[in-house]
Amino acid sequence: MTKNPFSFLSKIKNIGSKRSFIQLLFLIIQNPFISNFLTGKPYNGPTKTFCAPGLHCYSCPSMAFGCPLGTLQYVIKYASMIPFFALGTLSAAGAILGRATCAYVCPFGFFQELLYSISPWKNIEAKLPQKFRYIKWFNLFFFVLLIPAFGLAQGFCAYVCPSGLIVAGIPIIAANSGLRATIGLTFWWKVALTIIFVIYFMREKRAFCRYICPLGLILGFFNRVSILQIKLNQNKCISCSACKKHCPMGIDPVKEVNSIECIKCGDCVRVCPVNKNLK
């Protein structure tokens, strides 16, 4: 793997080795209002109008920023218009970093990696068939766009997103006894689905990112044109498959680097045994 051609992003190998620290730092920056979990009331200050380019939940009590995916659905459903602000935020992040925000900024990506790291039944070889990756395409067009467009619901938030249940739904209901009487079938559906997700997250690394997340898919559209690129020097590659073995997205970087599935985490660069390949 060669060094990134842009000088201010040329330390991708070293950045990759510090990725967990960077993820934790962004988690803290995005969630400064931890005390709000005691009241179950989300922060609704001025920063909430800005979307952080990661999967979280607008209703999370500690979150300082809006969720771009939730904003997309909300504007489509209630304003019946194109959500230019959320799309602009995602486009700006995508144009610079591509899908790298999934690797460094996204709280739910960090959560998945933590679960996997402590799992007693994790399997580095675990991988569903390639066709399962199309589930996130279905989620984008059906749950994020179509259902809200018909004014039915914020589809992905309402029926699929486990992040919203974990960081918002359960804490808010736990802190507000009056809301417990409003719990219905949809809530229990999401509880069951989230349990399934969490169990599988502990077997396959970043399974939600690989198969389910429409936000990662949107950011992945920019991977080929973003400023941040990981470049492979085919002449120096020894075909050892170390990058493929350690890729958190289960792809082969030799064939798919900067593809729509690549989160540009730099792990492939970090584990490459031919370190002298870095110019």
Side-chain angles (χ1 to χ4, degrees):
M1 301 291 173
T2 61
K3 189 183 294 186
N4 193 279
F6 296 88
S7 59
F8 71 102
L9 293 171
S10 64
K11 302 295 184 181
I12 191 167
K13 183 186 175 200
N14 294 327
I15 290 174
S17 65
K18 302 173 183 177
R19 191 160 64 86
S20 294
F21 171 77
I22 296 173
Q23 288 176 297
L24 180 59
L25 180 62
F26 273 110
L27 181 68
I28 294 171
I29 292 173
Q30 294 176 86
N31 292 272
F33 305 106
I34 301 297
S35 61
N36 286 359
F37 280 110
L38 298 176
T39 62
K41 294 181 179 179
Y43 165 76
N44 288 310
T47 60
K48 215 52 176 289
T49 59
F50 297 94
C51 296
L55 185 70
H56 48 273
C57 185
Y58 183 94
S59 297
C60 174
S62 63
M63 176 56 70
F65 304 97
C67 172
L69 207 59
T71 302
L72 284 174
Q73 296 169 84
Y74 183 89
V75 173
I76 292 172
K77 180 181 186 295
Y78 293 103
S80 299
M81 61 181 290
I82 298 174
F84 292 106
F85 184 75
L87 289 174
T89 299
L90 291 176
S91 297
I96 299 171
L97 298 172
R99 205 176 167 182
T101 54
C102 299
Y104 294 96
V105 179
C106 181
F108 200 65
F110 187 39
F111 170 70
Q112 290 176 78
E113 292 189 5
L114 285 177
L115 275 181
Y116 185 81
S117 68
I118 64 173
S119 171
W121 60 81
K122 60 186 174 186
N123 184 351
I124 197 170
E125 302 293 336
K127 186 187 297 186
L128 294 175
Q130 188 76 13
K131 61 185 178 182
F132 279 81
R133 294 186 183 273
Y134 290 105
I135 294 175
K136 58 181 175 286
W137 289 81
F138 174 79
N139 287 337
L140 175 60
F141 290 108
F142 185 72
F143 287 108
V144 176
L145 300 177
L146 192 61
I147 290 182
F150 280 93
L152 300 176
Q154 291 176 248
F156 190 78
C157 296
Y159 304 123
V160 180
C161 185
S163 178
L165 179 76
I166 293 171
V167 303
I170 292 176
I172 289 174
I173 288 174
N176 295 276
S177 57
L179 292 177
R180 294 169 200 162
T182 66
I183 294 176
L185 183 61
T186 300
F187 177 84
W188 293 114
W189 156 256
K190 286 197 67 177
V191 168
L193 189 61
T194 298
I195 290 173
I196 294 171
F197 282 149
V198 168
I199 291 173
Y200 195 72
F201 295 165
M202 299 179 78
R203 175 174 171 77
E204 181 176 349
K205 197 169 188 178
R206 277 190 173 255
F208 190 83
C209 305
R210 295 184 186 189
Y211 310 117
I212 308 296
C213 186
L215 179 58
L217 175 62
I218 295 172
L219 290 167
F221 292 152
F222 296 89
N223 262 0
R224 296 289 190 188
V225 298
S226 64
I227 293 175
L228 177 61
Q229 295 286 310
I230 300 176
K231 294 195 174 184
L232 172 68
N233 188 329
Q234 291 282 4
N235 294 326
K236 294 185 178 182
C237 178
I238 60 174
S239 302
C240 65
S241 297
C243 55
K244 180 179 179 181
K245 182 179 179 181
H246 289 85
C247 178
M249 291 298 289
I251 64 175
D252 184 352
V254 173
K255 300 177 181 177
E256 302 177 83
V257 68
N258 299 311
S259 72
I260 202 169
E261 304 293 345
C262 175
I263 58 173
K264 300 180 186 285
C265 61
D267 285 4
C268 54
V269 180
R270 179 176 55 84
V271 302
C272 179
V274 192
N275 291 322
K276 298 299 182 181
N277 284 1
L278 295 180
K279 296 179 181 178

